[in-house]
Amino acid sequence: MAKLTKKQYKKLSEQLMPEKKSVWDQADPAQRKEIMKLGERYKDFLDAAKTERMAVKTILARARGKGFKMYKPGLKAKRLAFNYKGKVVALAVLGRRSPVQGMRLLGSHIDAPRLDLKMNPLYEDQEMVFLKTHYYGGIKKYQWLARPLAIHGVVCTSDGKSVEVHIGDADDDPVFTVLDLLPHLSRKVQESKKLADAVEAERMNLLIGTLPLDMDGGKERVKLAVLKLLNDKYGFNQADLVSAELELVPAGRARDVGLDRSLVGGYGQDDRASAFAALEAVLAVNDPAMTCVAVFVDKEEVGSDGATGAQSRFLEHLTASLLEAAGDTASYRQVFRGLAASQMLSADVNAAFDPDYPEVHDRRNAAYLGYGVCLTKYTGHGGKYGASDADAEYVAWLRKVWDDAKVTWQAAGMGRVDQGGGGTIAKHMAVYGMDIIDVGPSMLAMHSPFEVSAKADMLSAVMAYQAFYQAAPVKANTGRTL
Ligand code: MN
Ligand code: MN
């Protein structure tokens, strides 16, 4: 080959080694405005959807506003909403083709790491009243001490009432806290220990009151006073706490982060970032070729188990209902053919490269904040254990869909091999034989009470999910003989 001129080198490198550009660098003026507007809607969503139950309500309210109808057998409607136990929700727009020919699915999760209450949570010690907790999902326990917490959830009484409790997020509400020990006295108990052992789960008790009933003598006067306050307002007693689901989450609203307001900081962004983007995408769907579905599931943070997790049979029931709604037969065969012919994005977040901890990332395979939605071909941990590894054919199809729609995206895994890892709902959906891959925004300080994401990546996520819904039906996977 003849010696290259500088011009030839530039041309060749542009052709063979295209550089990744950030969302901001690719965005036109209208998109720059849209990024900031989307950021406002996203913060509102995070504030309204602090638990899975609250997320279901928030999602359904927005869906109703866009013409979705609650599903019931025989209902003639193209835009259908499904509410499963108040903790899982699905929104579907029937396509021109039957669901048996495959659907386009987005699957995000609406649960997030938090503190739950134990079954017998309430006690008084030294005239202070506490609630005992059991953490939910992968938390670093120290992050939950010495910060304002809110309580959200339900208490179900034995006479059949279900009472909603929301304390700590309204402006004039009190908040609660798990105390931390002062540094003067924590040298042995905490500071000389390994980080994972320094805070014991059994010491993570929520302080909720100290004011005794006005009387002479009497046992547990503060606890009784607290119970009286609860009973006056909500009508339940101590025994009712056994049939309650009360979740402790960081109090306060999601906020802009940075002088330039380019970031969103707040609780629950794993995975309500993807849930929000999926919601925006499904609400915008109109007369699609294939049936477009967004499912928002619970229990991902604890392994997708249980009736409301992705491992439940919810998706099969949903497919059967969609087949019926489309005027087709919901036989076992049809349900599984439809699922196997589907394409799905497991809409979940990934860890963004943190320059303070470069040693946990592989710089050449890390997600970068602001560089768009992140495609993760496989998750799992060392040796690809527990991974759902997407087919190359499917990845190639998606690349084309996004490049045609001018979506800024990146491909990245989570951390260095053997450094750790994680899973998503992808492997539980892959059992149906559908094409599935992880796609979601990346974020910093994931699983902390104050996760940080880039507003620019939200636009990319919404565009990526919309392009996925709109892409023409194709056989994305070759050699299928089901
Ligand atoms: Mn997640
Ligand atoms: Mn997670």
Side-chain angles (χ1 to χ4, degrees):
M1 202 158 78
K3 201 168 179 178
L4 290 188
T5 64
K6 280 206 168 144
K7 210 175 149 190
Q8 285 169 322
Y9 167 82
K10 190 166 176 275
K11 198 177 157 208
L12 194 63
S13 70
E14 276 169 8
Q15 193 190 344
L16 299 182
M17 308 191 296
E19 257 182 52
K20 281 278 177 198
K21 286 192 184 142
S22 76
V23 177
W24 282 114
D25 284 341
Q26 306 262 65
D28 59 33
Q31 286 177 324
R32 285 176 164 255
K33 267 196 194 150
E34 180 58 23
I35 287 170
M36 288 314 204
K37 268 174 42 192
L38 206 52
E40 295 306 305
R41 286 212 293 283
Y42 177 43
K43 285 183 290 173
D44 289 343
F45 180 79
L46 289 175
D47 294 341
K50 282 205 160 177
T51 67
E52 62 282 5
R53 286 176 191 262
M54 293 165 82
V56 165
K57 288 193 172 151
T58 308
I59 289 165
L60 285 176
R62 278 200 65 190
R64 274 192 289 271
K66 288 278 183 180
F68 283 78
K69 300 264 183 293
M70 290 311 298
Y71 170 80
K72 51 178 184 258
L75 181 76
K76 291 267 175 286
K78 291 261 181 217
R79 298 164 88 76
L80 297 165
F82 300 79
N83 175 352
Y84 190 55
K85 291 176 178 281
K87 296 179 186 176
V88 176
V89 61
L91 302 177
V93 183
L94 291 180
R96 297 189 297 276
R97 296 176 156 208
S98 165
V100 74
Q101 291 175 275
M103 300 171 284
R104 289 276 158 77
L105 299 144
L106 289 173
S108 58
H109 67 91
I110 48 176
D111 62 320
R114 59 177 190 254
L115 304 181
D116 281 345
L117 293 191
K118 288 196 179 194
M119 282 163 285
N120 303 304
L122 191 67
Y123 70 95
E124 176 176 335
D125 200 341
Q126 282 312 123
E127 304 207 351
M128 292 191 274
V129 172
F130 297 92
L131 291 168
K132 292 188 70 72
T133 70
H134 189 148
Y135 63 94
Y136 172 97
I139 65 165
K140 290 162 89 173
K141 297 187 202 86
Y142 71 87
Q143 294 177 335
W144 290 77
L145 309 182
R147 61 159 43 244
L149 296 171
I151 300 178
H152 294 288
V154 291
V155 178
C156 299
T157 60
S158 56
D159 55 357
K161 281 204 278 291
S162 186
V163 189
E164 278 201 41
V165 177
H166 299 280
I167 315 169
D169 270 318
D171 288 339
D172 53 350
D173 272 358
V175 293
F176 311 94
T177 193
V178 177
L179 301 169
D180 198 1
L181 197 55
L182 63 171
H184 315 64
L185 295 179
S186 62
R187 212 174 292 167
K188 280 193 185 146
V189 178
Q190 287 180 333
E191 268 140 67
S192 62
K193 291 183 178 166
K194 281 196 295 185
L195 190 62
D197 304 329
V199 179
E200 288 165 41
E202 292 294 349
R203 298 196 213 252
M204 296 179 71
N205 302 311
L206 192 76
L207 180 59
I208 62 161
T210 61
L211 189 64
L213 287 173
D214 189 8
M215 60 180 283
D216 296 325
K219 276 201 324 193
E220 299 191 308
R221 285 184 302 148
V222 185
K223 181 174 142 180
L224 198 56
V226 162
L227 279 167
K228 185 160 184 327
L229 285 172
L230 289 171
N231 192 261
D232 288 348
K233 179 148 188 200
Y234 300 104
F236 63 77
N237 63 24
Q238 178 173 248
D240 294 320
L241 287 171
V242 77
S243 47
E245 284 176 7
L246 295 173
E247 304 178 8
L248 315 180
V249 298
R253 304 173 75 89
R255 304 283 294 269
D256 285 343
V257 174
L259 287 171
D260 53 14
R261 298 181 178 271
S262 60
L263 307 167
V264 170
Y267 165 72
Q269 298 196 63
D270 172 7
D271 183 34
R272 294 180 196 129
S274 322
F276 173 75
L279 178 62
E280 290 277 323
V282 76
L283 293 184
V285 169
N286 202 5
D287 191 31
M290 291 171 79
T291 293
C292 292
V293 187
V295 295
F296 305 84
V297 298
D298 181 28
K299 297 285 184 282
E300 193 277 341
E301 295 296 355
V302 291
S304 296
D305 293 299
T308 54
Q311 295 197 66
S312 78
R313 301 291 182 223
F314 168 73
L315 199 63
E316 293 162 33
H317 291 295
L318 178 69
T319 305
S321 300
L322 290 173
L323 280 165
E324 282 178 353
D328 221 323
T329 336
S331 66
Y332 176 93
R333 183 79 172 120
Q334 294 260 101
V335 166
F336 283 87
R337 270 174 69 193
L339 286 169
S342 291
Q343 285 100 42
M344 186 164 190
L345 301 183
S346 162
D348 209 340
V349 300
N350 206 323
F353 181 83
D354 182 339
D356 278 331
Y357 299 92
E359 69 272 34
V360 304
H361 302 283
D362 166 10
R363 275 180 188 270
R364 294 176 183 87
N365 283 282
Y368 292 90
L369 214 60
Y371 275 73
V373 77
C374 174
L375 172 143
T376 305
K377 189 172 179 294
Y378 53 88
T379 54
H381 58 272
K384 291 194 172 180
Y385 272 82
S388 166
D389 198 345
D391 298 328
E393 289 86 347
Y394 186 42
V395 180
W397 175 78
L398 259 183
R399 282 175 56 198
K400 171 97 170 81
V401 166
W402 289 338
D403 291 345
D404 287 352
K406 299 203 168 3
V407 177
T408 307
W409 62 277
Q410 55 186 326
M414 172 132 65
R416 294 175 75 87
V417 179
D418 292 337
Q419 190 65 239
T424 63
I425 66 165
K427 63 176 178 180
H428 307 305
M429 303 287 105
V431 297
Y432 295 113
M434 61 174 64
D435 292 314
I436 185 159
I437 191 164
D438 279 287
V439 178
S442 66
M443 62 190 48
L444 294 165
M446 210 169 107
H447 276 215
S448 80
F450 196 74
E451 300 170 301
V452 173
S453 67
K455 290 181 183 175
D457 289 334
M458 187 53 80
L459 177 71
S460 161
V462 173
M463 286 174 69
Y465 295 164
Q466 279 175 344
F468 167 75
Y469 274 153
Q470 283 159 10
V474 280
K475 275 222 153 72
N477 199 332
T478 55
R480 168 169 286 144
T481 52
L482 282 170

